[in-house]
Amino acid sequence: AQKVTQAQTEISVVEKEDVTLDCVYETRDTTYYLFWYKQPPSGELVFLIRRNSFDEQNEISGRYSWNFQKSTSSFNFTITASQVVDSAVYFCALSRSNQGGKLIFGQGTELSVKP
Amino acid sequence: GAGVSQSPRYKVAKRGQDVALRCDPISGHVSLFWYQQALGQGPEFLTYFQNEAQLDKSGLPSDRFFAERPEGSVSTLKIQRTQQEDSAVYLCASSSDRLRGEQYFGPGTRLTVT
């Protein structure tokens, strides 16, 4: 079965702190895709990143970075120097290459960045 | 360009009523997905269209749920004889590449069944 686990339900940090959101996934497929989405209070899910299972290179985009490790089935997300605008619910998701792209989401991690 | 739009944004229905939720995907996106998001949970897949063809409806929770996309653009999710457990946010997403492309989500329709 495919499953995504985000063990951290809520995280609270003070502005400028670094914060890492954990994501662990389960799949027997060799080809799959991993995603992170941000859901601000407005409710609209915003795409952040896609990774395919053959690309384990870490990625950095501004203050955001992602660490993909197949050996531990993890795809963690780090925000450096957090800002109040980073406050949102963050979802990790998995899709299988043979299932038309439907996303399997984790439960989400609610990040609160306080000034 | 315009993103995915959904209407209505909020819907209150009395138990037993039928509701219809509309999704306008990004122009040119062939793939369209519906998800259901309960309070405090991650979205859960309901159904998927490739153009007008409904290729996967494995996530629809009961035969009271029906989705269509007759001309391969706008989609409607219909729920018949609504029940309280149907209360949730219904999200629509579209994608230009169903296998590898990211899905762009609309703002959702919050359905409350009283």
Side-chain angles (χ1 to χ4, degrees), chain A residues 96 98-104, chain B residues 32-35 44-61 65-68 75 77 98 103:
Chain A
R96 304 172 68 189
N98 62 349
Q99 284 205 336
K102 73 179 185 184
L103 295 171
I104 300 164
Chain B
L32 186 146
F33 302 79
W34 283 99
Y35 294 86
E44 293 194 357
F45 171 80
L46 293 177
T47 187
Y48 153 67
F49 290 86
Q50 181 86 345
N51 296 305
E52 69 278 5
Q54 188 175 20
L55 298 185
D56 186 346
K57 53 182 181 179
S58 61
L60 295 177
F65 286 71
F66 172 76
E68 60 184 6
S75 176
L77 176 67
R98 67 181 179 92
Q103 295 178 23

PDB file of all heavy atoms in Angstrom, chain A residues 96 98-104, chain B residues 32-35 44-61 65-68 75 77 98 103:
ATOM      1  N   ARG A  96       1.920   7.704  -7.950  1.00  0.00           N
ATOM      2  CA  ARG A  96       2.473   6.539  -8.615  1.00  0.00           C
ATOM      3  C   ARG A  96       2.413   6.755 -10.110  1.00  0.00           C
ATOM      4  O   ARG A  96       1.435   7.283 -10.629  1.00  0.00           O
ATOM      5  CB  ARG A  96       1.679   5.295  -8.234  1.00  0.00           C
ATOM      6  CG  ARG A  96       1.606   5.036  -6.753  1.00  0.00           C
ATOM      7  CD  ARG A  96       0.657   3.907  -6.455  1.00  0.00           C
ATOM      8  NE  ARG A  96       1.172   2.635  -6.955  1.00  0.00           N
ATOM      9  CZ  ARG A  96       0.444   1.515  -6.980  1.00  0.00           C
ATOM     10  NH1 ARG A  96      -0.811   1.537  -6.575  1.00  0.00           N
ATOM     11  NH2 ARG A  96       0.968   0.402  -7.423  1.00  0.00           N
ATOM     12  N   ASN A  98       1.837   4.788 -12.428  1.00  0.00           N
ATOM     13  CA  ASN A  98       0.838   4.015 -13.168  1.00  0.00           C
ATOM     14  C   ASN A  98      -0.577   4.262 -12.672  1.00  0.00           C
ATOM     15  O   ASN A  98      -1.469   3.461 -12.909  1.00  0.00           O
ATOM     16  CB  ASN A  98       1.160   2.523 -13.078  1.00  0.00           C
ATOM     17  CG  ASN A  98       1.119   2.006 -11.645  1.00  0.00           C
ATOM     18  OD1 ASN A  98       1.053   2.796 -10.713  1.00  0.00           O
ATOM     19  ND2 ASN A  98       1.158   0.701 -11.479  1.00  0.00           N
ATOM     20  N   GLN A  99      -0.798   5.364 -11.963  1.00  0.00           N
ATOM     21  CA  GLN A  99      -2.138   5.634 -11.442  1.00  0.00           C
ATOM     22  C   GLN A  99      -2.644   6.996 -11.853  1.00  0.00           C
ATOM     23  O   GLN A  99      -3.416   7.628 -11.152  1.00  0.00           O
ATOM     24  CB  GLN A  99      -2.165   5.498  -9.919  1.00  0.00           C
ATOM     25  CG  GLN A  99      -2.149   4.058  -9.455  1.00  0.00           C
ATOM     26  CD  GLN A  99      -2.770   3.908  -8.069  1.00  0.00           C
ATOM     27  OE1 GLN A  99      -2.805   4.843  -7.288  1.00  0.00           O
ATOM     28  NE2 GLN A  99      -3.262   2.726  -7.770  1.00  0.00           N
ATOM     29  N   GLY A 100      -2.181   7.460 -13.004  1.00  0.00           N
ATOM     30  CA  GLY A 100      -2.742   8.674 -13.570  1.00  0.00           C
ATOM     31  C   GLY A 100      -2.397   9.943 -12.850  1.00  0.00           C
ATOM     32  O   GLY A 100      -2.951  10.994 -13.160  1.00  0.00           O
ATOM     33  N   GLY A 101      -1.506   9.886 -11.902  1.00  0.00           N
ATOM     34  CA  GLY A 101      -1.070  11.104 -11.255  1.00  0.00           C
ATOM     35  C   GLY A 101      -1.825  11.469  -9.999  1.00  0.00           C
ATOM     36  O   GLY A 101      -1.567  12.533  -9.431  1.00  0.00           O
ATOM     37  N   LYS A 102      -2.751  10.641  -9.545  1.00  0.00           N
ATOM     38  CA  LYS A 102      -3.493  11.028  -8.341  1.00  0.00           C
ATOM     39  C   LYS A 102      -2.534  11.093  -7.160  1.00  0.00           C
ATOM     40  O   LYS A 102      -1.605  10.291  -7.035  1.00  0.00           O
ATOM     41  CB  LYS A 102      -4.624  10.054  -8.057  1.00  0.00           C
ATOM     42  CG  LYS A 102      -4.222   8.697  -7.519  1.00  0.00           C
ATOM     43  CD  LYS A 102      -5.467   7.862  -7.267  1.00  0.00           C
ATOM     44  CE  LYS A 102      -5.142   6.546  -6.615  1.00  0.00           C
ATOM     45  NZ  LYS A 102      -6.354   5.695  -6.467  1.00  0.00           N
ATOM     46  N   LEU A 103      -2.750  12.065  -6.311  1.00  0.00           N
ATOM     47  CA  LEU A 103      -1.864  12.336  -5.198  1.00  0.00           C
ATOM     48  C   LEU A 103      -2.372  11.680  -3.923  1.00  0.00           C
ATOM     49  O   LEU A 103      -3.559  11.722  -3.623  1.00  0.00           O
ATOM     50  CB  LEU A 103      -1.742  13.845  -4.979  1.00  0.00           C
ATOM     51  CG  LEU A 103      -1.081  14.638  -6.096  1.00  0.00           C
ATOM     52  CD1 LEU A 103      -1.209  16.132  -5.860  1.00  0.00           C
ATOM     53  CD2 LEU A 103       0.384  14.260  -6.232  1.00  0.00           C
ATOM     54  N   ILE A 104      -1.434  11.077  -3.190  1.00  0.00           N
ATOM     55  CA  ILE A 104      -1.722  10.552  -1.864  1.00  0.00           C
ATOM     56  C   ILE A 104      -1.041  11.492  -0.880  1.00  0.00           C
ATOM     57  O   ILE A 104       0.197  11.610  -0.877  1.00  0.00           O
ATOM     58  CB  ILE A 104      -1.176   9.125  -1.720  1.00  0.00           C
ATOM     59  CG1 ILE A 104      -1.825   8.218  -2.760  1.00  0.00           C
ATOM     60  CG2 ILE A 104      -1.424   8.595  -0.304  1.00  0.00           C
ATOM     61  CD1 ILE A 104      -1.103   6.909  -2.953  1.00  0.00           C
TER      62      ILE A 104
ATOM     63  N   LEU B  32      -7.871  16.565 -14.894  1.00  0.00           N
ATOM     64  CA  LEU B  32      -8.631  17.238 -13.847  1.00  0.00           C
ATOM     65  C   LEU B  32      -8.905  16.255 -12.726  1.00  0.00           C
ATOM     66  O   LEU B  32      -9.292  15.106 -12.979  1.00  0.00           O
ATOM     67  CB  LEU B  32      -9.948  17.791 -14.417  1.00  0.00           C
ATOM     68  CG  LEU B  32     -10.806  18.650 -13.476  1.00  0.00           C
ATOM     69  CD1 LEU B  32     -11.526  19.741 -14.263  1.00  0.00           C
ATOM     70  CD2 LEU B  32     -11.774  17.825 -12.666  1.00  0.00           C
ATOM     71  N   PHE B  33      -8.675  16.705 -11.508  1.00  0.00           N
ATOM     72  CA  PHE B  33      -8.801  15.852 -10.329  1.00  0.00           C
ATOM     73  C   PHE B  33      -9.761  16.500  -9.330  1.00  0.00           C
ATOM     74  O   PHE B  33      -9.776  17.722  -9.181  1.00  0.00           O
ATOM     75  CB  PHE B  33      -7.446  15.680  -9.634  1.00  0.00           C
ATOM     76  CG  PHE B  33      -6.369  15.093 -10.489  1.00  0.00           C
ATOM     77  CD1 PHE B  33      -5.678  15.865 -11.409  1.00  0.00           C
ATOM     78  CD2 PHE B  33      -6.020  13.753 -10.370  1.00  0.00           C
ATOM     79  CE1 PHE B  33      -4.669  15.326 -12.197  1.00  0.00           C
ATOM     80  CE2 PHE B  33      -5.014  13.201 -11.147  1.00  0.00           C
ATOM     81  CZ  PHE B  33      -4.340  13.982 -12.064  1.00  0.00           C
ATOM     82  N   TRP B  34     -10.491  15.669  -8.607  1.00  0.00           N
ATOM     83  CA  TRP B  34     -11.294  16.105  -7.463  1.00  0.00           C
ATOM     84  C   TRP B  34     -10.764  15.425  -6.203  1.00  0.00           C
ATOM     85  O   TRP B  34     -10.463  14.219  -6.203  1.00  0.00           O
ATOM     86  CB  TRP B  34     -12.765  15.726  -7.647  1.00  0.00           C
ATOM     87  CG  TRP B  34     -13.539  16.591  -8.599  1.00  0.00           C
ATOM     88  CD1 TRP B  34     -13.833  16.332  -9.910  1.00  0.00           C
ATOM     89  CD2 TRP B  34     -14.160  17.850  -8.300  1.00  0.00           C
ATOM     90  NE1 TRP B  34     -14.581  17.347 -10.437  1.00  0.00           N
ATOM     91  CE2 TRP B  34     -14.800  18.286  -9.478  1.00  0.00           C
ATOM     92  CE3 TRP B  34     -14.237  18.643  -7.153  1.00  0.00           C
ATOM     93  CZ2 TRP B  34     -15.513  19.498  -9.549  1.00  0.00           C
ATOM     94  CZ3 TRP B  34     -14.940  19.836  -7.223  1.00  0.00           C
ATOM     95  CH2 TRP B  34     -15.560  20.258  -8.412  1.00  0.00           C
ATOM     96  N   TYR B  35     -10.666  16.224  -5.144  1.00  0.00           N
ATOM     97  CA  TYR B  35     -10.245  15.715  -3.846  1.00  0.00           C
ATOM     98  C   TYR B  35     -11.240  16.205  -2.787  1.00  0.00           C
ATOM     99  O   TYR B  35     -11.874  17.257  -2.937  1.00  0.00           O
ATOM    100  CB  TYR B  35      -8.851  16.239  -3.467  1.00  0.00           C
ATOM    101  CG  TYR B  35      -7.730  15.744  -4.343  1.00  0.00           C
ATOM    102  CD1 TYR B  35      -7.405  16.393  -5.539  1.00  0.00           C
ATOM    103  CD2 TYR B  35      -6.975  14.635  -3.971  1.00  0.00           C
ATOM    104  CE1 TYR B  35      -6.377  15.943  -6.343  1.00  0.00           C
ATOM    105  CE2 TYR B  35      -5.927  14.183  -4.774  1.00  0.00           C
ATOM    106  CZ  TYR B  35      -5.641  14.839  -5.948  1.00  0.00           C
ATOM    107  OH  TYR B  35      -4.618  14.389  -6.748  1.00  0.00           O
ATOM    108  N   GLU B  44      -8.045  13.931   0.106  1.00  0.00           N
ATOM    109  CA  GLU B  44      -8.164  12.539  -0.343  1.00  0.00           C
ATOM    110  C   GLU B  44      -8.761  12.508  -1.737  1.00  0.00           C
ATOM    111  O   GLU B  44      -9.758  13.171  -2.020  1.00  0.00           O
ATOM    112  CB  GLU B  44      -9.009  11.727   0.630  1.00  0.00           C
ATOM    113  CG  GLU B  44      -8.353  11.544   1.984  1.00  0.00           C
ATOM    114  CD  GLU B  44      -9.015  10.470   2.828  1.00  0.00           C
ATOM    115  OE1 GLU B  44     -10.034   9.904   2.377  1.00  0.00           O
ATOM    116  OE2 GLU B  44      -8.523  10.214   3.934  1.00  0.00           O
ATOM    117  N   PHE B  45      -8.157  11.698  -2.575  1.00  0.00           N
ATOM    118  CA  PHE B  45      -8.544  11.588  -3.982  1.00  0.00           C
ATOM    119  C   PHE B  45      -9.967  11.070  -4.129  1.00  0.00           C
ATOM    120  O   PHE B  45     -10.381  10.126  -3.438  1.00  0.00           O
ATOM    121  CB  PHE B  45      -7.575  10.634  -4.681  1.00  0.00           C
ATOM    122  CG  PHE B  45      -7.972  10.258  -6.083  1.00  0.00           C
ATOM    123  CD1 PHE B  45      -7.737  11.117  -7.141  1.00  0.00           C
ATOM    124  CD2 PHE B  45      -8.585   9.043  -6.322  1.00  0.00           C
ATOM    125  CE1 PHE B  45      -8.101  10.756  -8.428  1.00  0.00           C
ATOM    126  CE2 PHE B  45      -8.953   8.677  -7.604  1.00  0.00           C
ATOM    127  CZ  PHE B  45      -8.706   9.535  -8.657  1.00  0.00           C
ATOM    128  N   LEU B  46     -10.711  11.694  -5.035  1.00  0.00           N
ATOM    129  CA  LEU B  46     -12.050  11.221  -5.356  1.00  0.00           C
ATOM    130  C   LEU B  46     -12.093  10.620  -6.764  1.00  0.00           C
ATOM    131  O   LEU B  46     -12.474   9.467  -6.936  1.00  0.00           O
ATOM    132  CB  LEU B  46     -13.064  12.372  -5.272  1.00  0.00           C
ATOM    133  CG  LEU B  46     -13.325  12.963  -3.877  1.00  0.00           C
ATOM    134  CD1 LEU B  46     -14.285  14.141  -3.987  1.00  0.00           C
ATOM    135  CD2 LEU B  46     -13.886  11.894  -2.944  1.00  0.00           C
ATOM    136  N   THR B  47     -11.715  11.438  -7.758  1.00  0.00           N
ATOM    137  CA  THR B  47     -11.855  10.985  -9.130  1.00  0.00           C
ATOM    138  C   THR B  47     -10.954  11.796 -10.047  1.00  0.00           C
ATOM    139  O   THR B  47     -10.458  12.863  -9.668  1.00  0.00           O
ATOM    140  CB  THR B  47     -13.318  11.073  -9.595  1.00  0.00           C
ATOM    141  OG1 THR B  47     -13.455  10.472 -10.895  1.00  0.00           O
ATOM    142  CG2 THR B  47     -13.793  12.524  -9.672  1.00  0.00           C
ATOM    143  N   TYR B  48     -10.744  11.280 -11.264  1.00  0.00           N
ATOM    144  CA  TYR B  48      -9.797  11.881 -12.197  1.00  0.00           C
ATOM    145  C   TYR B  48     -10.326  11.772 -13.625  1.00  0.00           C
ATOM    146  O   TYR B  48     -10.867  10.737 -14.019  1.00  0.00           O
ATOM    147  CB  TYR B  48      -8.454  11.157 -12.035  1.00  0.00           C
ATOM    148  CG  TYR B  48      -7.563  11.135 -13.244  1.00  0.00           C
ATOM    149  CD1 TYR B  48      -6.995  12.308 -13.727  1.00  0.00           C
ATOM    150  CD2 TYR B  48      -7.262   9.934 -13.884  1.00  0.00           C
ATOM    151  CE1 TYR B  48      -6.166  12.290 -14.829  1.00  0.00           C
ATOM    152  CE2 TYR B  48      -6.428   9.926 -14.988  1.00  0.00           C
ATOM    153  CZ  TYR B  48      -5.877  11.093 -15.455  1.00  0.00           C
ATOM    154  OH  TYR B  48      -5.063  11.069 -16.537  1.00  0.00           O
ATOM    155  N   PHE B  49     -10.140  12.852 -14.390  1.00  0.00           N
ATOM    156  CA  PHE B  49     -10.527  12.892 -15.796  1.00  0.00           C
ATOM    157  C   PHE B  49      -9.305  13.183 -16.661  1.00  0.00           C
ATOM    158  O   PHE B  49      -8.457  14.003 -16.308  1.00  0.00           O
ATOM    159  CB  PHE B  49     -11.546  14.021 -16.053  1.00  0.00           C
ATOM    160  CG  PHE B  49     -12.900  13.774 -15.450  1.00  0.00           C
ATOM    161  CD1 PHE B  49     -13.165  14.121 -14.128  1.00  0.00           C
ATOM    162  CD2 PHE B  49     -13.917  13.210 -16.207  1.00  0.00           C
ATOM    163  CE1 PHE B  49     -14.408  13.909 -13.587  1.00  0.00           C
ATOM    164  CE2 PHE B  49     -15.167  12.997 -15.670  1.00  0.00           C
ATOM    165  CZ  PHE B  49     -15.420  13.342 -14.344  1.00  0.00           C
ATOM    166  N   GLN B  50      -9.270  12.540 -17.808  1.00  0.00           N
ATOM    167  CA  GLN B  50      -8.335  12.884 -18.871  1.00  0.00           C
ATOM    168  C   GLN B  50      -9.224  13.358 -20.010  1.00  0.00           C
ATOM    169  O   GLN B  50      -9.930  12.567 -20.622  1.00  0.00           O
ATOM    170  CB  GLN B  50      -7.507  11.663 -19.267  1.00  0.00           C
ATOM    171  CG  GLN B  50      -6.488  11.925 -20.356  1.00  0.00           C
ATOM    172  CD  GLN B  50      -5.171  12.462 -19.815  1.00  0.00           C
ATOM    173  OE1 GLN B  50      -5.086  12.892 -18.677  1.00  0.00           O
ATOM    174  NE2 GLN B  50      -4.156  12.437 -20.630  1.00  0.00           N
ATOM    175  N   ASN B  51      -9.185  14.653 -20.273  1.00  0.00           N
ATOM    176  CA  ASN B  51     -10.179  15.258 -21.172  1.00  0.00           C
ATOM    177  C   ASN B  51     -11.581  14.930 -20.654  1.00  0.00           C
ATOM    178  O   ASN B  51     -11.856  15.161 -19.490  1.00  0.00           O
ATOM    179  CB  ASN B  51      -9.950  14.797 -22.604  1.00  0.00           C
ATOM    180  CG  ASN B  51      -8.611  15.278 -23.136  1.00  0.00           C
ATOM    181  OD1 ASN B  51      -8.329  16.478 -23.117  1.00  0.00           O
ATOM    182  ND2 ASN B  51      -7.776  14.349 -23.592  1.00  0.00           N
ATOM    183  N   GLU B  52     -12.442  14.361 -21.483  1.00  0.00           N
ATOM    184  CA  GLU B  52     -13.802  14.095 -21.013  1.00  0.00           C
ATOM    185  C   GLU B  52     -13.949  12.701 -20.399  1.00  0.00           C
ATOM    186  O   GLU B  52     -15.005  12.371 -19.854  1.00  0.00           O
ATOM    187  CB  GLU B  52     -14.806  14.271 -22.161  1.00  0.00           C
ATOM    188  CG  GLU B  52     -14.718  13.221 -23.252  1.00  0.00           C
ATOM    189  CD  GLU B  52     -13.631  13.527 -24.256  1.00  0.00           C
ATOM    190  OE1 GLU B  52     -12.886  14.502 -24.060  1.00  0.00           O
ATOM    191  OE2 GLU B  52     -13.530  12.781 -25.248  1.00  0.00           O
ATOM    192  N   ALA B  53     -12.900  11.902 -20.476  1.00  0.00           N
ATOM    193  CA  ALA B  53     -12.982  10.523 -19.994  1.00  0.00           C
ATOM    194  C   ALA B  53     -12.652  10.452 -18.500  1.00  0.00           C
ATOM    195  O   ALA B  53     -11.601  10.914 -18.063  1.00  0.00           O
ATOM    196  CB  ALA B  53     -12.021   9.646 -20.781  1.00  0.00           C
ATOM    197  N   GLN B  54     -13.554   9.823 -17.760  1.00  0.00           N
ATOM    198  CA  GLN B  54     -13.315   9.612 -16.334  1.00  0.00           C
ATOM    199  C   GLN B  54     -12.536   8.307 -16.195  1.00  0.00           C
ATOM    200  O   GLN B  54     -13.099   7.217 -16.325  1.00  0.00           O
ATOM    201  CB  GLN B  54     -14.645   9.547 -15.576  1.00  0.00           C
ATOM    202  CG  GLN B  54     -14.490   9.513 -14.066  1.00  0.00           C
ATOM    203  CD  GLN B  54     -15.833   9.573 -13.345  1.00  0.00           C
ATOM    204  OE1 GLN B  54     -16.879   9.272 -13.921  1.00  0.00           O
ATOM    205  NE2 GLN B  54     -15.834   9.977 -12.075  1.00  0.00           N
ATOM    206  N   LEU B  55     -11.252   8.414 -15.925  1.00  0.00           N
ATOM    207  CA  LEU B  55     -10.383   7.242 -15.933  1.00  0.00           C
ATOM    208  C   LEU B  55     -10.260   6.567 -14.575  1.00  0.00           C
ATOM    209  O   LEU B  55      -9.838   5.410 -14.509  1.00  0.00           O
ATOM    210  CB  LEU B  55      -8.990   7.632 -16.446  1.00  0.00           C
ATOM    211  CG  LEU B  55      -8.941   8.168 -17.877  1.00  0.00           C
ATOM    212  CD1 LEU B  55      -7.492   8.398 -18.307  1.00  0.00           C
ATOM    213  CD2 LEU B  55      -9.643   7.223 -18.835  1.00  0.00           C
ATOM    214  N   ASP B  56     -10.584   7.266 -13.532  1.00  0.00           N
ATOM    215  CA  ASP B  56     -10.450   6.673 -12.202  1.00  0.00           C
ATOM    216  C   ASP B  56     -11.480   7.320 -11.294  1.00  0.00           C
ATOM    217  O   ASP B  56     -11.460   8.530 -11.117  1.00  0.00           O
ATOM    218  CB  ASP B  56      -9.027   6.889 -11.670  1.00  0.00           C
ATOM    219  CG  ASP B  56      -8.754   6.174 -10.355  1.00  0.00           C
ATOM    220  OD1 ASP B  56      -9.700   5.728  -9.691  1.00  0.00           O
ATOM    221  OD2 ASP B  56      -7.563   6.086  -9.970  1.00  0.00           O
ATOM    222  N   LYS B  57     -12.373   6.519 -10.763  1.00  0.00           N
ATOM    223  CA  LYS B  57     -13.342   7.038  -9.800  1.00  0.00           C
ATOM    224  C   LYS B  57     -13.313   6.206  -8.531  1.00  0.00           C
ATOM    225  O   LYS B  57     -14.303   6.129  -7.795  1.00  0.00           O
ATOM    226  CB  LYS B  57     -14.739   7.093 -10.391  1.00  0.00           C
ATOM    227  CG  LYS B  57     -15.248   5.810 -10.998  1.00  0.00           C
ATOM    228  CD  LYS B  57     -16.636   6.029 -11.596  1.00  0.00           C
ATOM    229  CE  LYS B  57     -17.181   4.747 -12.194  1.00  0.00           C
ATOM    230  NZ  LYS B  57     -18.546   4.931 -12.756  1.00  0.00           N
ATOM    231  N   SER B  58     -12.174   5.622  -8.276  1.00  0.00           N
ATOM    232  CA  SER B  58     -12.038   4.711  -7.148  1.00  0.00           C
ATOM    233  C   SER B  58     -12.192   5.383  -5.794  1.00  0.00           C
ATOM    234  O   SER B  58     -12.463   4.722  -4.794  1.00  0.00           O
ATOM    235  CB  SER B  58     -10.681   4.014  -7.209  1.00  0.00           C
ATOM    236  OG  SER B  58      -9.632   4.966  -7.125  1.00  0.00           O
ATOM    237  N   GLY B  59     -12.029   6.700  -5.735  1.00  0.00           N
ATOM    238  CA  GLY B  59     -12.107   7.403  -4.463  1.00  0.00           C
ATOM    239  C   GLY B  59     -13.487   7.908  -4.103  1.00  0.00           C
ATOM    240  O   GLY B  59     -13.706   8.395  -2.981  1.00  0.00           O
ATOM    241  N   LEU B  60     -14.424   7.813  -5.007  1.00  0.00           N
ATOM    242  CA  LEU B  60     -15.777   8.292  -4.697  1.00  0.00           C
ATOM    243  C   LEU B  60     -16.346   7.440  -3.572  1.00  0.00           C
ATOM    244  O   LEU B  60     -16.395   6.217  -3.678  1.00  0.00           O
ATOM    245  CB  LEU B  60     -16.663   8.217  -5.938  1.00  0.00           C
ATOM    246  CG  LEU B  60     -16.251   9.130  -7.088  1.00  0.00           C
ATOM    247  CD1 LEU B  60     -17.148   8.915  -8.302  1.00  0.00           C
ATOM    248  CD2 LEU B  60     -16.287  10.594  -6.660  1.00  0.00           C
ATOM    249  N   PRO B  61     -16.792   8.054  -2.483  1.00  0.00           N
ATOM    250  CA  PRO B  61     -17.151   7.283  -1.282  1.00  0.00           C
ATOM    251  C   PRO B  61     -18.440   6.485  -1.401  1.00  0.00           C
ATOM    252  O   PRO B  61     -18.610   5.520  -0.659  1.00  0.00           O
ATOM    253  CB  PRO B  61     -17.252   8.356  -0.192  1.00  0.00           C
ATOM    254  CG  PRO B  61     -17.439   9.651  -0.896  1.00  0.00           C
ATOM    255  CD  PRO B  61     -16.810   9.524  -2.238  1.00  0.00           C
ATOM    256  N   PHE B  65     -22.219  10.036  -5.059  1.00  0.00           N
ATOM    257  CA  PHE B  65     -21.262  10.971  -5.647  1.00  0.00           C
ATOM    258  C   PHE B  65     -21.111  10.668  -7.128  1.00  0.00           C
ATOM    259  O   PHE B  65     -20.882   9.511  -7.520  1.00  0.00           O
ATOM    260  CB  PHE B  65     -19.897  10.846  -4.956  1.00  0.00           C
ATOM    261  CG  PHE B  65     -19.840  11.435  -3.574  1.00  0.00           C
ATOM    262  CD1 PHE B  65     -20.493  10.815  -2.521  1.00  0.00           C
ATOM    263  CD2 PHE B  65     -19.126  12.592  -3.323  1.00  0.00           C
ATOM    264  CE1 PHE B  65     -20.442  11.356  -1.233  1.00  0.00           C
ATOM    265  CE2 PHE B  65     -19.062  13.134  -2.048  1.00  0.00           C
ATOM    266  CZ  PHE B  65     -19.725  12.511  -1.002  1.00  0.00           C
ATOM    267  N   PHE B  66     -21.195  11.723  -7.908  1.00  0.00           N
ATOM    268  CA  PHE B  66     -21.112  11.571  -9.357  1.00  0.00           C
ATOM    269  C   PHE B  66     -20.361  12.771  -9.929  1.00  0.00           C
ATOM    270  O   PHE B  66     -20.590  13.908  -9.529  1.00  0.00           O
ATOM    271  CB  PHE B  66     -22.530  11.492  -9.941  1.00  0.00           C
ATOM    272  CG  PHE B  66     -22.589  11.523 -11.430  1.00  0.00           C
ATOM    273  CD1 PHE B  66     -22.255  10.408 -12.174  1.00  0.00           C
ATOM    274  CD2 PHE B  66     -22.982  12.670 -12.103  1.00  0.00           C
ATOM    275  CE1 PHE B  66     -22.307  10.427 -13.559  1.00  0.00           C
ATOM    276  CE2 PHE B  66     -23.038  12.710 -13.493  1.00  0.00           C
ATOM    277  CZ  PHE B  66     -22.700  11.574 -14.212  1.00  0.00           C
ATOM    278  N   ALA B  67     -19.439  12.526 -10.852  1.00  0.00           N
ATOM    279  CA  ALA B  67     -18.695  13.629 -11.465  1.00  0.00           C
ATOM    280  C   ALA B  67     -18.755  13.507 -12.975  1.00  0.00           C
ATOM    281  O   ALA B  67     -18.828  12.395 -13.517  1.00  0.00           O
ATOM    282  CB  ALA B  67     -17.246  13.629 -11.003  1.00  0.00           C
ATOM    283  N   GLU B  68     -18.716  14.644 -13.638  1.00  0.00           N
ATOM    284  CA  GLU B  68     -18.730  14.645 -15.093  1.00  0.00           C
ATOM    285  C   GLU B  68     -17.892  15.789 -15.629  1.00  0.00           C
ATOM    286  O   GLU B  68     -17.678  16.797 -14.951  1.00  0.00           O
ATOM    287  CB  GLU B  68     -20.160  14.738 -15.619  1.00  0.00           C
ATOM    288  CG  GLU B  68     -20.905  15.980 -15.189  1.00  0.00           C
ATOM    289  CD  GLU B  68     -22.348  15.985 -15.661  1.00  0.00           C
ATOM    290  OE1 GLU B  68     -22.816  14.985 -16.232  1.00  0.00           O
ATOM    291  OE2 GLU B  68     -23.019  17.011 -15.460  1.00  0.00           O
ATOM    292  N   SER B  75     -15.839  20.898 -15.082  1.00  0.00           N
ATOM    293  CA  SER B  75     -16.287  19.657 -14.444  1.00  0.00           C
ATOM    294  C   SER B  75     -17.267  19.995 -13.329  1.00  0.00           C
ATOM    295  O   SER B  75     -17.180  21.054 -12.699  1.00  0.00           O
ATOM    296  CB  SER B  75     -15.095  18.889 -13.878  1.00  0.00           C
ATOM    297  OG  SER B  75     -15.519  17.725 -13.182  1.00  0.00           O
ATOM    298  N   LEU B  77     -19.048  18.190  -9.860  1.00  0.00           N
ATOM    299  CA  LEU B  77     -19.154  17.108  -8.888  1.00  0.00           C
ATOM    300  C   LEU B  77     -20.534  17.237  -8.243  1.00  0.00           C
ATOM    301  O   LEU B  77     -20.882  18.283  -7.704  1.00  0.00           O
ATOM    302  CB  LEU B  77     -18.062  17.226  -7.819  1.00  0.00           C
ATOM    303  CG  LEU B  77     -18.119  16.197  -6.667  1.00  0.00           C
ATOM    304  CD1 LEU B  77     -17.828  14.793  -7.191  1.00  0.00           C
ATOM    305  CD2 LEU B  77     -17.123  16.564  -5.571  1.00  0.00           C
ATOM    306  N   ARG B  98      -0.314  14.526 -16.777  1.00  0.00           N
ATOM    307  CA  ARG B  98      -0.896  13.746 -15.677  1.00  0.00           C
ATOM    308  C   ARG B  98       0.135  12.913 -14.936  1.00  0.00           C
ATOM    309  O   ARG B  98      -0.035  12.599 -13.775  1.00  0.00           O
ATOM    310  CB  ARG B  98      -2.004  12.827 -16.203  1.00  0.00           C
ATOM    311  CG  ARG B  98      -1.522  11.711 -17.132  1.00  0.00           C
ATOM    312  CD  ARG B  98      -2.692  10.875 -17.628  1.00  0.00           C
ATOM    313  NE  ARG B  98      -2.242   9.824 -18.523  1.00  0.00           N
ATOM    314  CZ  ARG B  98      -1.931   8.606 -18.110  1.00  0.00           C
ATOM    315  NH1 ARG B  98      -2.019   8.305 -16.831  1.00  0.00           N
ATOM    316  NH2 ARG B  98      -1.538   7.695 -18.979  1.00  0.00           N
ATOM    317  N   GLN B 103       0.031  19.493 -10.006  1.00  0.00           N
ATOM    318  CA  GLN B 103      -1.377  19.809 -10.065  1.00  0.00           C
ATOM    319  C   GLN B 103      -1.598  21.191  -9.458  1.00  0.00           C
ATOM    320  O   GLN B 103      -1.060  21.508  -8.401  1.00  0.00           O
ATOM    321  CB  GLN B 103      -2.188  18.761  -9.305  1.00  0.00           C
ATOM    322  CG  GLN B 103      -2.108  17.386  -9.957  1.00  0.00           C
ATOM    323  CD  GLN B 103      -2.849  16.313  -9.202  1.00  0.00           C
ATOM    324  OE1 GLN B 103      -3.775  16.590  -8.434  1.00  0.00           O
ATOM    325  NE2 GLN B 103      -2.454  15.075  -9.408  1.00  0.00           N
TER     326      GLN B 103
END
